[in-house]
Amino acid sequence: MGKQKKKGQSGQAKNYITRTQAVRKLQISLPDFRRLCIFKGIYPREPRNLKKASKSATHSTTFYYTKDIQYLLHEPLLGKFREQKALEKKIARSLGRNEVQDAVRLEKHGMPKIKLDHIVRERYPTFVDALRDLDDALSLLFLFANLPSTTEVPAKVISRCQRLCHEFEHYLIATNSLRKSFLSIKGIYYQATIQGQDIMWLVPYKFVQRVTQDVDYRIMGTFVEFYCTLLGFVNYKLYTSIGLVYPPKFDTASDERGAELAAFTLEGRQVAGSIAQTEEQQTITNGHAQNGNTEAMQAQIDKIAEDTPAEEDAKQDEQADDQPETEAIDTFTPAVPEGDTLPQLDLTSDEAARLFSNLTFFISREAPRHPMEFLLRAFGCKRVGWDKVLGEGAFTHDETDARITHQIVDRPAPTQPLPTFQGQESATDQTLQVVKPGFIMPGRIYIQPQWIWDCVNEGKLLPTNVYAPGETLPPHLSPWIKPTSGQYDPRATLEEQEAEGEADAAADEQVEEDETPEDVDENDSEDEASEEAVEFDEEIDAGGMDVAGSDDDSEDEAGIEDDTFAGFADDAALEESDVDEEAEHQKELEAEAAGRPVKSIVKGSDKNTKAIKARKIERAKKNEEVERQKMMMSNKKRKLFEKMEHSNNKRDVNAEKLRGKRRKLEKTGRR
């Protein structure tokens, strides 16, 4: 006989442990336990059967894996937490004895520092794993970078988040790794491709944030502490992979004056390696080097340039011209129009670097400066200027600079040309020419901010006349959602999406809605009178008044059912058409006598009604065919088909409603 198992010592009771038991086993407080679980990436688990996991468990009981808690027993941070707890007791004892200086000394010099480097290496064995988990880290750090400093969120944490986020943005600018962006209600979405990994994060708008008390900032602060360490590791790896020094030089005074990205200066690790790195260092700082190269560095660069003969460069250029281009991305086109289209690859870094490379932008002070500067510089623009009120670091603060090709404005359309200024060419930062509202600079293109985002998502420069100030902007759609067949597509025209006869039916409905109530009442009474007259004539033609329950009716009905000859149907249709024409002619005469406008689309409406009837008949035939095929299906397949049919009908109805709204908006716009 085998050993009998005791209840509660195997199975789920052994695999799961409650939070209270875990805290007692680790001998730490509940806040420290939460903090340790966040650092180590350990989350609560839900057993299949609560009573098997614990007899006294309820639905509010929190369970963890027993192996995870045993794994925490050997964590070095447990010793740090215990040292902090012992130090807090000493500080409290000193304050109780009124020894304030000793308490300050203990808190300043005796508090153990917690480092999370070993946890980052444990959770992310490879660099690709860290990149895959970077979405939430960037979203939370960008959120804290825009928060105001409070007692729950100190200014030191905010400045650290801002610095790490700006360093990451500088890497994207240097490598042209940014691919897409989208303006939403929550904020601005960005997507970058780094070493083959797509990373998407959300940046909130820079509005005045209200810090509420509903959020537990201690838990969020724990996540921020870990994510700051993670992003520091990632930034170091990214900078060193392209030959840049990390951390980059940071000018605190310039950052306090609103420089933001311009407060950083990127430097290469090896100057003698290549001249391209030094050129990149100069172009990264918005069109001009901030601090410049030293004399020794410049001498090494000149020496390398002289050692390279011009003949070798010419030979290399000729060989490059002879070789076919292999770096271009292949475009896959379907062999059959009805075939599936293969997904196309995104832009390369070279194409992204050339998008805005030949343009010079000026950002007006009403437009959001930082996201637009980041997008423009990430896609190759080296010269971005803005108003002096927005901060330092601009290519130019002079709005009348002749080198500016595009100006981004978010105000009503300027209509008056700017008068010429004397001494405009020699204007300096101290004597800037200010363009008054309502004036425009000749030879410059004025656009709204959405043009930048749409150009980035499309991968090409779009026409600027659609995005001119005062124009109705085209729909700004998410670049990650592609329109499918049957859904409403705001980019396509109504003619491309409408079903057959949908526009005619909508026109008939619009005509009925445009009629005045008086006309409707009069027309209804006239229609009723004409219908009664027609019915009376038909009864007379049939041989007198109909009497319910008579024998003649049953004989006539039986005769009609038996006889299938359809030769008189055309005559009946002709009679009906003649009666309709007479009634319509009578309506026209009465409308002229009463002074009402005469309808001019009577014939067209007749054609539309005939077409609608034909489509209804065809639709009925299709439905009959579908019902016949459904009878041949099994129950499982028929239910699945009905679900698909229901979802498709729901999608079609929603798309038709959206098309109807757009049709009304276009008509009101034309008027």
Side-chain angles (χ1 to χ4, degrees):
M1 182 177 179
K3 187 176 180 181
Q4 188 176 4
K5 294 182 180 180
K6 294 183 180 180
K7 192 174 183 180
Q9 295 185 1
S10 62
Q12 294 190 29
K14 186 178 181 181
N15 294 334
Y16 293 94
I17 185 174
T18 62
R19 188 179 64 180
T20 305
Q21 295 173 350
V23 170
R24 290 176 181 174
K25 191 171 187 177
L26 295 175
Q27 297 181 359
I28 56 176
S29 62
L30 182 58
D32 290 341
F33 176 74
R34 288 174 177 169
R35 192 179 180 192
L36 185 61
C37 288
I38 291 173
F39 287 155
K40 299 290 289 186
I42 296 174
Y43 301 97
R45 308 291 179 175
E46 185 176 358
R48 295 182 179 178
N49 194 332
L50 293 177
K51 295 301 180 183
K52 288 184 179 180
S54 178
K55 294 181 180 179
S56 60
T58 60
H59 291 285
S60 60
T61 306
T62 305
F63 287 92
Y64 291 88
Y65 282 146
T66 306
K67 290 184 178 181
D68 292 343
I69 303 303
Q70 291 178 351
Y71 177 66
L72 292 178
L73 288 172
H74 308 284
E75 178 57 40
L77 288 180
L78 285 175
K80 296 290 184 180
F81 290 159
R82 289 163 184 156
E83 290 179 7
Q84 286 183 352
K85 190 175 182 180
L87 186 64
E88 289 174 359
K89 290 181 179 180
K90 292 181 181 180
I91 293 173
R93 190 183 300 114
S94 299
L95 291 175
R97 295 174 181 175
N98 202 13
E99 297 174 354
V100 181
Q101 294 183 354
D102 294 342
V104 172
R105 177 180 54 81
L106 289 173
E107 186 177 4
K108 186 175 182 180
H109 301 286
M111 188 65 69
K113 296 181 180 180
I114 295 178
K115 293 185 177 181
L116 307 177
D117 300 348
H118 66 285
I119 297 181
V120 173
R121 289 193 292 266
E122 288 176 4
R123 292 184 61 177
Y124 308 106
T126 62
F127 185 61
V128 177
D129 296 333
L131 291 177
R132 289 173 180 171
D133 201 20
L134 206 60
D135 300 349
D136 295 335
L138 289 173
S139 298
L140 187 61
L141 292 182
F142 273 99
L143 172 63
F144 268 72
N146 293 326
L147 288 179
S149 60
T150 58
T151 55
E152 294 86 0
V153 186
K156 186 177 181 180
V157 175
I158 296 174
S159 61
R160 186 184 179 190
C161 294
Q162 289 177 351
R163 186 167 180 176
L164 289 171
C165 292
H166 288 161
E167 290 172 358
F168 182 74
E169 288 178 345
H170 265 295
Y171 170 79
L172 299 179
I173 293 171
T175 57
N176 302 111
S177 301
L178 196 64
R179 290 293 174 263
K180 296 176 183 178
S181 182
F182 175 63
L183 298 168
S184 69
I185 299 176
K186 297 180 180 180
I188 305 175
Y189 285 92
Y190 295 98
Q191 183 183 9
T193 303
I194 302 175
Q195 297 187 7
Q197 301 296 325
D198 292 334
I199 303 170
M200 186 169 63
W201 68 97
L202 175 65
V203 180
Y205 295 112
K206 289 192 175 182
F207 296 142
V208 178
Q209 304 290 342
R210 295 182 180 179
V211 181
T212 60
Q213 301 299 328
D214 301 336
V215 182
D216 193 349
Y217 287 96
R218 293 178 300 175
I219 296 178
M220 295 186 67
T222 305
F223 277 102
V224 168
E225 185 178 358
F226 174 74
Y227 285 151
C228 283
T229 307
L230 172 62
L231 188 57
F233 270 74
V234 172
N235 286 346
Y236 173 78
K237 179 66 176 178
L238 294 176
Y239 272 64
T240 54
S241 63
I242 60 174
L244 296 177
V245 176
Y246 186 82
K249 287 185 178 181
F250 178 67
D251 190 357
T252 308
S254 180
D255 183 66
E256 292 177 353
R257 292 191 292 268
E260 294 184 351
L261 289 174
F264 294 84
T265 304
L266 307 186
E267 293 181 349
R269 289 190 299 175
Q270 296 178 356
V271 181
S274 63
I275 306 175
Q277 293 180 357
T278 57
E279 293 178 353
E280 182 182 8
Q281 175 186 351
Q282 293 180 358
T283 56
I284 275 175
T285 56
N286 201 3
H288 53 82
Q290 292 181 345
N291 299 328
N293 297 327
T294 60
E295 295 180 359
M297 188 183 301
Q298 190 66 34
Q300 292 180 359
I301 294 172
D302 296 338
K303 184 178 179 181
I304 295 172
E306 292 176 358
D307 293 341
T308 305
E311 296 179 358
E312 294 181 1
D313 294 341
K315 291 180 180 179
Q316 292 178 0
D317 295 339
E318 292 178 359
Q319 293 177 0
D321 295 337
D322 296 338
Q323 294 178 355
E325 296 181 358
T326 58
E327 296 181 356
I329 295 180
D330 297 333
T331 56
F332 302 96
T333 57
V336 184
E338 294 82 7
D340 297 334
T341 57
L342 296 175
Q344 302 295 325
L345 299 177
D346 293 333
L347 290 174
T348 61
S349 58
D350 295 336
E351 293 176 351
R354 293 193 300 265
L355 187 60
F356 300 124
S357 59
N358 298 326
L359 307 179
T360 303
F361 288 87
F362 187 86
I363 304 173
S364 301
R365 54 186 173 183
E366 73 274 1
R369 172 209 148 186
H370 179 75
M372 296 170 62
E373 178 195 2
F374 171 56
L375 268 181
L376 291 173
R377 293 178 61 184
F379 282 86
C381 183
K382 307 299 181 184
R383 299 170 300 277
V384 184
W386 53 78
D387 195 275
K388 200 171 185 179
V389 180
L390 299 178
E392 292 186 351
F395 173 70
T396 179
H397 293 296
D398 187 8
E399 191 174 352
T400 61
D401 195 333
R403 295 172 292 180
I404 299 173
T405 59
H406 293 69
Q407 183 167 350
I408 305 168
V409 296
D410 197 6
R411 62 181 72 162
T415 56
Q416 302 178 6
L418 183 70
T420 57
F421 293 100
Q422 295 182 357
Q424 177 179 345
E425 298 179 357
S426 60
T428 59
D429 292 342
Q430 288 76 16
T431 60
L432 295 178
Q433 300 290 350
V434 180
V435 178
K436 297 180 181 180
F439 290 90
I440 61 174
M441 285 289 298
R444 183 180 301 179
I445 299 175
Y446 288 82
I447 51 176
Q448 299 188 46
Q450 185 182 329
W451 181 78
I452 299 175
W453 272 268
D454 290 348
C455 289
V456 166
N457 295 333
E458 292 293 335
K460 60 182 180 180
L461 297 179
L462 300 176
T464 56
N465 56 349
V466 185
Y467 300 86
E471 294 290 334
T472 302
L473 294 173
H476 181 62
L477 305 178
S478 174
W480 299 284
I481 298 177
K482 301 299 180 183
T484 58
S485 59
Q487 290 184 348
Y488 172 70
D489 187 7
R491 298 179 181 176
T493 59
L494 285 175
E495 290 76 8
E496 297 176 356
Q497 305 180 65
E498 288 176 340
E500 185 179 357
E502 182 180 347
D504 299 336
D508 293 341
E509 293 177 0
Q510 187 66 28
V511 169
E512 293 177 359
E513 292 177 359
D514 292 341
E515 292 180 354
T516 58
E518 297 178 357
D519 296 342
V520 172
D521 296 338
E522 293 177 359
N523 293 337
D524 291 341
S525 61
E526 293 170 359
D527 294 340
E528 290 176 359
S530 62
E531 289 176 0
E532 291 177 357
V534 171
E535 290 177 358
F536 184 74
D537 293 341
E538 290 177 352
E539 290 171 357
I540 292 174
D541 294 339
M545 299 292 291
D546 293 336
V547 180
S550 63
D551 297 336
D552 297 336
D553 295 340
S554 60
E555 292 177 359
D556 293 340
E557 290 177 358
I560 293 171
E561 291 177 357
D562 295 338
D563 297 336
T564 58
F565 178 68
F568 298 107
D570 297 335
D571 298 338
L574 291 173
E575 291 177 1
E576 290 179 359
S577 62
D578 295 337
V579 171
D580 293 339
E581 290 180 359
E582 292 178 0
E584 289 166 2
H585 183 65
Q586 184 67 22
K587 289 179 183 179
E588 291 179 359
L589 294 177
E590 291 178 358
E592 290 179 358
R596 296 194 305 269
V598 181
K599 297 180 182 179
S600 60
I601 57 170
V602 176
K603 297 181 180 179
S605 62
D606 290 342
K607 295 180 181 178
N608 294 338
T609 53
K610 292 180 181 179
I612 291 172
K613 289 180 181 178
R615 285 193 298 272
K616 286 183 179 179
I617 294 172
E618 186 178 358
R619 192 181 300 113
K621 291 182 180 179
K622 289 183 179 179
N623 293 336
E624 291 178 359
E625 181 67 19
V626 170
E627 292 295 333
R628 187 184 65 80
Q629 292 178 358
K630 285 168 62 176
M631 295 174 61
M632 306 297 294
M633 297 181 183
S634 61
N635 291 335
K636 185 176 181 181
K637 291 183 178 180
R638 185 172 64 253
K639 290 179 180 179
L640 180 61
F641 179 78
E642 288 176 354
K643 288 182 180 180
M644 294 170 58
E645 198 174 18
H646 175 71
S647 61
N648 292 338
N649 293 335
K650 189 176 180 181
R651 180 196 62 192
D652 295 340
V653 169
N654 293 333
E656 188 175 354
K657 287 182 180 179
L658 293 174
R659 287 195 295 269
K661 291 181 180 179
R662 180 176 175 181
R663 194 179 295 108
K664 291 181 180 179
L665 290 174
E666 289 182 355
K667 287 183 178 180
T668 55
R670 290 171 187 170
R671 293 176 184 174

